[in-house]
Amino acid sequence: MSRPARWRGLSTALASVAATLAVSALSACGVFGAGADLHVLVSFNSAQAADQRAWFAHIAEAFKARTGATVAFDTFASAGDEQTKLQTAMVSGTGPDIYSLGSTFTPVAYASGGFHVLSEPDWQRIGGRDRFSPAALATCGPDPQHVIGVPTSVRPYGMVYNTALFRAAHIDSPPATWDEFVADAKRLTNPATGVYGTAVDYADPYNPWKYIWTFALQSGGRMISADQHRAELDSPLVSAAVGRYFDLLTAHHIVDPASVGWKSAQAAAAFASGKAAMLPMVTPQIERTLDKSQVKGSYAYAPLPLVPFGATELPLGGIAAGSIGSGDNMVIADYTKHLDLALEFISLVTSTPEQMHYNQVFGDLPSVTEAENQLVATRPNAAGYAAAQRTAVPTDFTGAWSSVQIGLTNVTTQSLPALAGGGYDPAEVRALLARANQTVQTALARAEAPR
Amino acid sequence: MTRPVDLTPRSAELAGRSATGAPRVSRIRPARRGRPLWLMLPAITLLVLVVGIPFVLAVWMSLTRLDQYSVRHWLTAPWAGLDNYRDALLSAGLPHSLWLSLAFAVLTTVIATPLGLLAALSVNSRFSGRGLVRSLYLVPYVIPTFVAGTAWRILLQPSGQLNHLLQALGLPGGAHWLIGPVSFWTLVGVDVWASWPFIYLMTLAGLQTISTETYEAADLDGTTWWQKTVHIVLPQIRGQLSLGLLLSTLQHFNNFTLPYLLFGSPAPDPVNVLPINIYQTSFQVFRFGLGAAMSIGALILTAIPALAYLRAVRLNAQPQEV
């Protein structure tokens, strides 16, 4: 080969290598969307994509006016996408400065040790921790000295009920106990017309564990012992909670048999079409869907019953848990070089005017008490949401929590064929719970392992 | 002064002749002739970056207790030795998922192959509208898996269109296609629907290499359609079809998107295939080390047919192609 030809070949080779390395470096540094002073990762809101883009522009403008700095938003479309971006950032030590995480994922983020623990001066920059809903704040850290997150919105779980169907059945108020819930639902059920007392999304990947958790806690059960050393999914109370959940379909027949295959959207559709009189395990965001349906103006939101099955009051050891502590928390990556700006951004987002604006755009409740009070005073249906938030109880703050969720959901998933047949085998449920318990116990043990 | 020519075997080899003086094919390796192997540097660099480093990292991860507690400082994750491999076999359901994935991959390929073969044969000869039919055959393959999976999930709901269709035909409707033991066959069916055009494409590519003279000669000999297919077509497209079968099986084995879209995670046990199990272990329970060990196990398993195929190709190649 001639000398010039060799050089051309070498140049091509070097250019190829350089291009490869450049692409790798650009990906690693997260240079896409570069130029901004602060990077924030939030969940993509597919139902309100245009509203979310408008909110991004609005808050970026307000941030610029407040600090002179710019902010860029990145979004994740799914839990898998969130994990990919989060873990890439954790491993590489580069990425967004602020992450908006769901409340039940915050313990896992805390366990990773990759996020800034807020100090007292930090809280003063944000306006003080007393501004926030205590239930929301409890999802941000294991104790007040080790808090990594600031709650920016809350989404308490409650139920909606069809006021027209309730009136027709001469039922005056939503149920306060689960026995009342079943009794009301039976009065409202009429298979001949295809109307059932309640809609339950047994095949949903997110909601089934919340039912089991609610029933278990109200009865005095726990998923994990208070000292977080022992998994308790195999306890009789948790097993009974699973049974109560399945009994809605198999024993009480207050649920459409087709709900064995339903996810949350199909359960909501049943309520929206007047085919279900009650719809539990929904957040205030359901309002946006229902106000476009035939039940608009004839539904109301209420907290879930707080008294367990077979009781007229909360038993000894029972917890009045109507909702998990649910919402979004903003956490700051420990590798950030823009801690001051990050605190300023969170301060802006949690200011009372911005909390009110966020509620107007997305329907989430404010995490700041002052904003919540203003909302209740100005919007008639907000009182029901606020009441539901007062029943919120944080889930166990441990890195093993995701294993609890997966384990309980798996119990339901594997029981669906039996439910479709109209029953379930309690022994099989106990075996599934024992399997889940083992996984959670392993996760708890790993948390205690020396590192 | 001229030096005498040394016609030892080596010099003769360099001269392109045998020791007996007869011309012969050179056995000198290209590198010895000064071939610029360094031109492979970009490819080698890419291979190292894209395959080598991730593979080494995966092996290393599989030997550590990398999880949610150590991911931030992953380089100092506690050493686990072979514990993850033991857990994968004993407690993480690896054997069950492996068996499911193997059964799913083989069954899907076995069912899709005759469909693809017949489709390719049906459009091999010229006829009016052949282009349109060929395009229509590709529709399932062209539709993104995400769209196809979502559409099938809706169709397969208890109150979905498939059950409505069955009822309209007088058959029992209301079946739960996405839960219980039937979910495995649902997965096989939907994947066959989505993937048979791949076999069709590979087969059609092979059919195009068979000359019309061959068919004409066979016709003159009075062969039947079946005899032509068995004795002419299949032997001549063996290479393309074998490659198609191998790639198809590997694609099915590694298919994550379709089962995830149809069943979510946690998936029903009958469809808890290996990719879903690894996803759940790694990204929902956050045992990255265990997930890596399961991935390495899957890699070894998928490498066996791939290596067997490469070996077969190497054996079939002519000496100058080696």
Side-chain angles (χ1 to χ4, degrees), chain B residues 258-274:
Chain B
L258 193 61
Y260 183 72
L261 285 170
L262 286 176
F263 309 105
S265 177
D269 275 345
V271 284
N272 193 20
V273 288
L274 195 58

Side-chain angles (χ1 to χ4, degrees), chain A residues 74-151:
Chain A
D74 191 8
T75 57
F76 54 87
S78 64
D81 192 18
E82 177 186 26
Q83 288 302 315
T84 303
K85 290 183 174 174
L86 191 80
Q87 285 155 20
T88 304
M90 288 295 99
V91 168
S92 65
T94 59
D97 301 287
I98 296 176
Y99 295 77
S100 180
L101 304 177
S103 56
T104 56
F105 185 68
T106 307
V108 180
Y110 178 85
S112 74
F115 295 95
H116 176 72
V117 177
L118 295 163
S119 64
E120 277 311 315
D122 293 337
W123 279 111
Q124 286 166 15
R125 291 280 299 274
I126 300 168
R129 65 178 85 206
D130 296 342
R131 297 172 56 228
F132 296 93
S133 156
L137 206 55
T139 66
C140 297
D143 58 64
Q145 283 71 47
H146 299 89
V147 172
I148 59 166
V150 179

Side-chain angles (χ1 to χ4, degrees), chain B residues 60 71 108 114 118 173 193 210 233 241 244 256 286 290-291 296 318-319:
Chain B
W60 173 80
V71 65
T108 311
L118 286 173
W193 177 87
I210 304 174
V233 173
L241 193 58
F256 167 77
F286 308 111
L290 178 56
I296 297 291
Q318 298 301 311

Side-chain angles (χ1 to χ4, degrees), chain A residues 36-349:
Chain A
D37 300 309
L38 193 71
H39 288 83
V40 181
L41 180 70
V42 301
S43 171
F44 177 64
N45 191 328
S46 57
Q48 291 181 265
D51 291 338
Q52 191 177 40
R53 278 196 300 276
W55 183 81
F56 286 162
H58 159 80
I59 207 74
E61 192 179 333
F63 187 62
K64 178 93 173 172
R66 182 170 173 150
T67 63
T70 56
V71 58
F73 291 92
D74 191 8
T75 57
F76 54 87
S78 64
D81 192 18
E82 177 186 26
Q83 288 302 315
T84 303
K85 290 183 174 174
L86 191 80
Q87 285 155 20
T88 304
M90 288 295 99
V91 168
S92 65
T94 59
D97 301 287
I98 296 176
Y99 295 77
S100 180
L101 304 177
S103 56
T104 56
F105 185 68
T106 307
V108 180
Y110 178 85
S112 74
F115 295 95
H116 176 72
V117 177
L118 295 163
S119 64
E120 277 311 315
D122 293 337
W123 279 111
Q124 286 166 15
R125 291 280 299 274
I126 300 168
R129 65 178 85 206
D130 296 342
R131 297 172 56 228
F132 296 93
S133 156
L137 206 55
T139 66
C140 297
D143 58 64
Q145 283 71 47
H146 299 89
V147 172
I148 59 166
V150 179
T152 54
S153 64
V154 294
R155 288 185 294 275
Y157 284 86
M159 58 176 273
V160 283
Y161 60 99
N162 188 315
T163 51
L165 289 174
F166 266 55
R167 268 196 305 276
H170 306 292
I171 302 171
D172 300 328
S173 60
T177 73
W178 284 105
D179 282 346
E180 283 179 18
F181 179 92
V182 170
D184 290 349
K186 283 181 175 173
R187 286 170 65 184
L188 293 157
T189 297
N190 184 359
T193 57
V195 175
Y196 287 85
T198 186
V200 177
D201 42 5
Y202 284 106
D204 193 75
Y206 302 108
N207 275 345
W209 72 265
K210 295 182 189 117
Y211 282 94
I212 299 167
W213 176 88
T214 302
F215 295 162
L217 258 69
Q218 290 181 1
S219 305
R222 300 287 182 277
M223 304 299 139
I224 293 171
S225 63
D227 59 8
Q228 297 197 349
H229 290 326
R230 197 175 61 256
E232 297 186 351
L233 273 70
D234 58 351
S235 71
L237 286 172
V238 176
S239 180
V242 176
R244 298 295 193 187
Y245 177 46
F246 292 165
D247 284 345
L248 298 175
L249 172 72
T250 60
H252 304 307
H253 307 293
I254 54 176
V255 181
D256 188 333
S259 66
V260 170
W262 284 358
K263 297 191 188 307
S264 61
Q266 287 137 327
F271 182 85
S273 61
K275 296 294 184 187
M278 292 184 278
L279 177 63
M281 264 342 141
V282 291
T283 70
Q285 288 183 327
I286 193 77
E287 188 180 293
R288 293 186 173 276
T289 303
L290 297 181
D291 281 351
K292 295 173 188 164
S293 75
Q294 69 181 63
V295 298
K296 181 184 179 183
S298 58
Y299 74 91
Y301 190 92
L304 288 172
L306 298 176
V307 178
F309 291 95
T312 52
E313 58 184 22
L314 206 61
L316 194 65
I319 295 176
S323 167
I324 62 164
S326 171
D328 292 326
N329 302 323
M330 280 195 174
V331 298
I332 304 172
D334 67 348
Y335 53 71
T336 183
K337 295 179 174 63
H338 309 290
L339 179 60
D340 287 341
L341 278 179
L343 291 169
E344 277 298 318
F345 181 81
I346 292 174
S347 174
L348 171 67
V349 172

